[in-house]
Amino acid sequence: MTSPESASPSRPAKAAGFALLGVAAVALIIGVVSLFGGESDTPPVAGGSSTQPPAQTTSESAAAPTTTASPSAPAATTTVPPTSSAATPPPPVTQPGAAKVPVRVYNNSTITGLAGKASDEVRANGWTVADTGNYSQGTIPTTTVYYRPGTDEEASAKELGAVLRARVEPRFDGIQSAPAGIILIVTNDYQGVSKNK
């Protein structure tokens, strides 16, 4: 039989042991999650770039510029400014002052005159309308602005899509050979210009 005096010191030791086991279990879970989670603290390298940003180990190394002596000229030094870990914002959809690409507006709805109405709204927002008519080679599911990828049409199409609250996509096979410019095909769901300008 144990005396009350000998039982008392073992309780804090047991409690400390359980606390250490709990901390170890949490650390193990965090380690496994970070190992298999696929998350990375380093930003992805840009498409064609083969260099990665320098790793920062302490806050002091981030604040001070780095100087390195060149092996061929011992007296020459290179100063590297500290890098920012903040993500840069995406570029604007179009550059200020960029020319807006001409637009062809085609009606693919059951609403008579919808292409004309859409053309008026397109013109009122700064685009030139090159052609207006009907699109009857198939059914387009929703009002869409089409562009030729890799051309100046893409940025202008995205801007027009935002103004008209319309989907923006690359041209499909049925309109690939159409003349250059943006193609807007309006359907029954055409909403027109956003009122939140």
Side-chain angles (χ1 to χ4, degrees), residues 36-193:
F36 295 109
E39 295 292 323
S40 172
D41 291 338
T42 59
V45 178
S49 177
S50 61
T51 60
Q52 293 189 9
Q56 296 180 358
T57 55
T58 65
S59 61
E60 291 178 32
S61 67
T66 307
T67 58
T68 309
S70 172
S72 60
T77 60
T78 305
T79 303
V80 178
T83 59
S84 172
S85 62
T88 57
V93 174
T94 58
Q95 302 300 331
K100 294 181 178 178
V101 177
V103 182
R104 287 174 174 71
V105 182
Y106 300 114
N107 188 351
N108 189 243
S109 74
T110 58
I111 304 167
T112 304
L114 187 59
K117 177 186 173 195
S119 294
D120 292 343
E121 291 181 339
V122 168
R123 280 188 201 97
N125 284 280
W127 278 269
T128 302
V129 175
D131 189 23
T132 303
N134 291 319
Y135 181 77
S136 58
Q137 282 75 33
T139 302
I140 305 299
T142 187
T143 298
T144 308
V145 180
Y146 295 98
Y147 63 91
R148 291 178 300 150
T151 67
D152 58 345
E153 293 176 9
E154 185 171 356
S156 191
K158 288 179 180 178
E159 183 180 358
L160 181 61
V163 168
L164 298 178
R165 298 175 288 174
R167 186 167 62 174
V168 180
E169 292 186 355
R171 287 187 181 188
F172 57 91
D173 289 335
I175 59 173
Q176 283 292 356
S177 60
I182 298 171
I183 297 174
L184 168 63
I185 299 180
V186 292
T187 64
N188 288 338
D189 69 350
Y190 178 71
Q191 299 174 17
V193 177

